[in-house]
Amino acid sequence: MKMEWIEIKPTCCQAEEELKETNKDENKHLPVAIIGAGPVGLAAAAHLARYDQPFILLESGAQVGANILTWGHVRVFSPWRYNIDETASKLLKEQGWTEPDLNELPTGKELVDQYLKPLANTPEIKKSLFANTKVFSISRKNMDKMKTANREKQPFVIYAEQNGEFKKFEARAVIDATGTWGNPNPANSNGIWLKEEEAIKNQIFYGIPDILGAGKSRYLNKRVAVIGSGHSAINSLLELAKLREEYPATEIVWVLRKVRVEEAYGGEELDALEARGDLGSRIHKLVDSCVVQVITPFRIQNIKGENGKIELVGETKDDLKTYSDIDEMIVNTGNRPDFSILREVRTSIDTATECVKALAPLIDPNIHSCGTVRPHGEKELRQPEKDFYIVGAKSYGRAPTFLMATGYEQVRSVVAYISGDYEASEKVELELPETGVCSTNLNVTKASCSSNSCC
């Protein structure tokens, strides 16, 4: 599906022209600071290199793609052609890089090893990359958030810790591509971290554990509860099912908040991404064959640990219920953005989704379930703080439908604007695969389980 959005505006738009003119200031000699060297941050670096703009790329991990390596064993559902930025590809090919098969599905580790690492090692990017550099705050020089006079003419100051030492960087613009991974939501349905859940953190894995590899001994022959209804949860369930084939004493419990489990299957064979649709079809079969016990709707109110076992207390359709004798939990309830580094930056964030405010009507899962969003770029991502942008997964806040291709188009538009190429910035194009499911056509068949506990 190819979508194109071009804004038609009056030929004489004084306010917009004045805004563009303010880009031409005394801070032009300073670099653009990119926070986060994941796929989107590195794509921003590639585009800045294309425009011959100075930049610095700050990464808190020991190497690029550090967050991705925490789920490096997982094979993504989008093929390579959706995971490679076009400008980054051109930069790599100039260095003799061999492009992977665009129809293949990479694992997280392959994504890092075959694409992100080579990109980071190109001469244009390597010289400006700072690893082990954790940003803890961003502000305007000599100004706190309250000060307005002459604010836009002051450079940004980025405060960071680099290899244990305090560092300051000045920049004329900032692109926050830090993502949301590593900042998980709790299992608690109210979104609140309770001390009881934190007390048993050694029995809870937030994310996608390597169940068939390094984490095998942790889960075999255990009663494992998976919390969540998205693709991460389904990945965990499918790997547990494979483990159960070898160790039949392994018990799998799937805890969801949805009214019916069918809502979690997605578009299945209607999904334009075959691997994404296949996830839904495979878990559908496992539920129907009772390999996976489903508990839904179940809204966790508290988690208790006693004698090495976990007890879930939650609300069902009718009353309060408790599920006991759980050995391990895998929590896949999504992630949330961390705005702590932006306390002194003026931002416009949606109060519900915690996404960039202009994107909220397009991606709010309460009203939009397609997983696709119309093309958007610099204009939608623009913050009240001039020359500051939130891009990538963090721009989507708590919404779970972000795809890398979306982030690549975001930074292409943002970098074009920062570089003065306003025409390229305003023309935004994006081709995304249909999910096969929309709020307008979601047709759930009669539930295969008549009560709140299936099988």
Side-chain angles (χ1 to χ4, degrees), residues 9-263:
K9 62 180 183 178
T11 55
C12 183
C13 185
Q14 184 177 0
E16 183 71 11
E17 293 307 317
E18 287 177 355
L19 180 60
K20 291 175 180 178
E21 188 65 26
T22 59
N23 273 350
K24 301 173 183 177
D25 55 38
E26 60 267 30
N27 295 323
K28 279 293 186 180
H29 68 285
L30 293 174
V32 176
I34 308 164
I35 317 298
V40 177
L42 279 162
H47 284 274
L48 284 163
R50 173 197 168 205
Y51 280 106
D52 198 25
Q53 296 289 315
F55 65 89
I56 53 174
L57 178 55
L58 310 179
E59 167 58 40
S60 62
Q63 66 167 76
V64 297
N67 280 341
I68 292 177
L69 290 176
T70 65
W71 50 268
H73 59 287
V74 178
R75 194 167 297 281
V76 302
F77 51 66
S78 54
W80 274 110
R81 67 178 178 273
Y82 290 112
N83 301 326
I84 299 174
D85 175 76
E86 184 178 348
T87 295
S89 176
K90 291 176 181 177
L91 202 63
L92 281 162
K93 287 176 180 177
E94 289 172 3
Q95 302 300 317
W97 177 70
T98 302
E99 187 176 70
D101 185 338
L102 296 181
N103 295 315
E104 292 293 324
L105 304 173
T107 63
K109 189 174 186 305
E110 289 168 345
L111 188 64
V112 173
D113 291 344
Q114 298 179 35
Y115 173 51
L116 299 186
K117 276 186 178 179
L119 181 57
N121 283 323
T122 57
E124 294 86 348
I125 294 178
K126 186 176 182 179
K127 62 185 178 183
S128 303
L129 172 62
F130 299 88
N132 292 312
T133 305
K134 184 174 179 59
V135 173
F136 58 83
S137 193
I138 304 170
S139 68
R140 290 282 190 178
K141 189 173 184 178
N142 297 324
M143 306 186 84
D144 63 22
K145 195 174 190 175
M146 289 285 291
K147 302 295 189 298
T148 298
N150 210 36
R151 184 178 187 86
E152 294 183 350
K153 294 184 179 180
Q154 299 304 311
F156 290 96
V157 181
I158 295 113
Y159 299 83
E161 184 179 291
Q162 186 180 78
N163 296 314
E165 295 185 7
F166 172 72
K167 294 283 184 180
K168 282 201 308 184
F169 303 89
E170 288 193 6
R172 67 179 180 88
V174 176
I175 299 173
D176 181 351
T178 54
T180 60
W181 193 259
N183 196 40
N185 293 321
N188 185 291
S189 292
N190 299 322
I192 304 299
W193 284 98
L194 298 177
K195 63 180 181 180
E196 290 85 356
E197 181 172 344
E198 294 177 332
I200 59 168
K201 61 183 180 181
N202 291 334
Q203 289 173 269
I204 304 177
F205 191 98
Y206 298 91
I208 311 174
D210 190 2
I211 293 168
L212 300 177
K216 188 174 183 178
S217 60
R218 178 172 178 172
Y219 299 105
L220 62 88
N221 294 327
K222 301 285 184 65
R223 180 173 167 81
V224 185
V226 177
I227 319 298
S229 59
H231 298 114
S232 295
I234 293 174
N235 261 307
S236 298
L237 291 162
L238 293 174
E239 291 213 340
L240 284 170
K242 280 190 173 294
L243 184 67
R244 188 175 183 269
E245 292 174 6
E246 187 177 356
Y247 299 93
T250 304
E251 296 182 50
I252 310 168
V253 182
W254 189 12
V255 181
L256 306 90
R257 302 169 191 169
K258 294 186 179 296
V259 175
R260 290 175 288 194
V261 66
E262 286 84 358
E263 295 175 40

Side-chain angles (χ1 to χ4, degrees), residues 44 55 70 83 126 140 228-229 273 278 281 318 396 413 454:
F55 65 89
T70 65
N83 301 326
K126 186 176 182 179
R140 290 282 190 178
S229 59
L273 284 180
D278 186 55
S281 298
D318 306 313
Y396 271 42
S413 174
C454 303

Side-chain angles (χ1 to χ4, degrees), residues 241-307:
K242 280 190 173 294
L243 184 67
R244 188 175 183 269
E245 292 174 6
E246 187 177 356
Y247 299 93
T250 304
E251 296 182 50
I252 310 168
V253 182
W254 189 12
V255 181
L256 306 90
R257 302 169 191 169
K258 294 186 179 296
V259 175
R260 290 175 288 194
V261 66
E262 286 84 358
E263 295 175 40
Y265 298 154
E268 298 192 64
E269 70 278 0
L270 298 178
D271 198 314
L273 284 180
E274 183 179 350
R276 183 171 59 188
D278 186 55
L279 287 177
S281 298
R282 289 166 64 195
I283 194 61
H284 193 162
K285 291 177 182 177
L286 289 175
V287 170
D288 287 350
S289 62
C290 293
V291 170
V292 175
Q293 177 193 358
V294 177
I295 300 172
T296 196
F298 188 77
R299 297 172 178 84
I300 296 173
Q301 303 301 305
N302 204 358
I303 300 172
K304 300 177 181 179
E306 189 172 349
N307 299 323

Side-chain angles (χ1 to χ4, degrees), residues 332-440:
N332 295 132
T333 52
N335 301 279
R336 58 182 65 179
D338 181 0
F339 294 116
S340 61
I341 68 172
L342 308 182
R343 288 293 301 273
E344 297 304 319
V345 177
R346 297 179 177 183
T347 57
S348 179
I349 304 297
D350 180 65
T351 56
T353 59
E354 295 188 349
C355 69
V356 172
K357 193 167 185 177
L359 299 184
L362 309 177
I363 64 175
D364 186 344
N366 294 295
I367 56 176
H368 183 90
S369 64
C370 297
T372 56
V373 57
R374 75 163 170 81
H376 60 276
E378 185 276 336
K379 190 162 291 186
E380 290 82 1
L381 298 170
R382 188 182 298 167
Q383 291 292 324
E385 193 76 73
K386 177 181 171 290
D387 293 330
F388 174 80
Y389 299 90
I390 298 172
V391 300
K394 190 170 183 176
S395 72
Y396 271 42
R398 298 194 187 193
T401 50
F402 177 78
L403 291 173
M404 273 185 276
T406 302
Y408 295 157
E409 182 62 6
Q410 286 180 341
V411 296
R412 185 208 60 75
S413 174
V414 166
V415 168
Y417 187 88
I418 290 173
S419 304
D421 189 353
Y422 305 122
E423 183 179 353
S425 174
E426 291 174 2
K427 185 174 182 180
V428 184
E429 296 180 342
L430 186 62
E431 186 175 347
L432 291 176
E434 294 276 13
T435 63
V437 174
C438 275
S439 56
T440 54

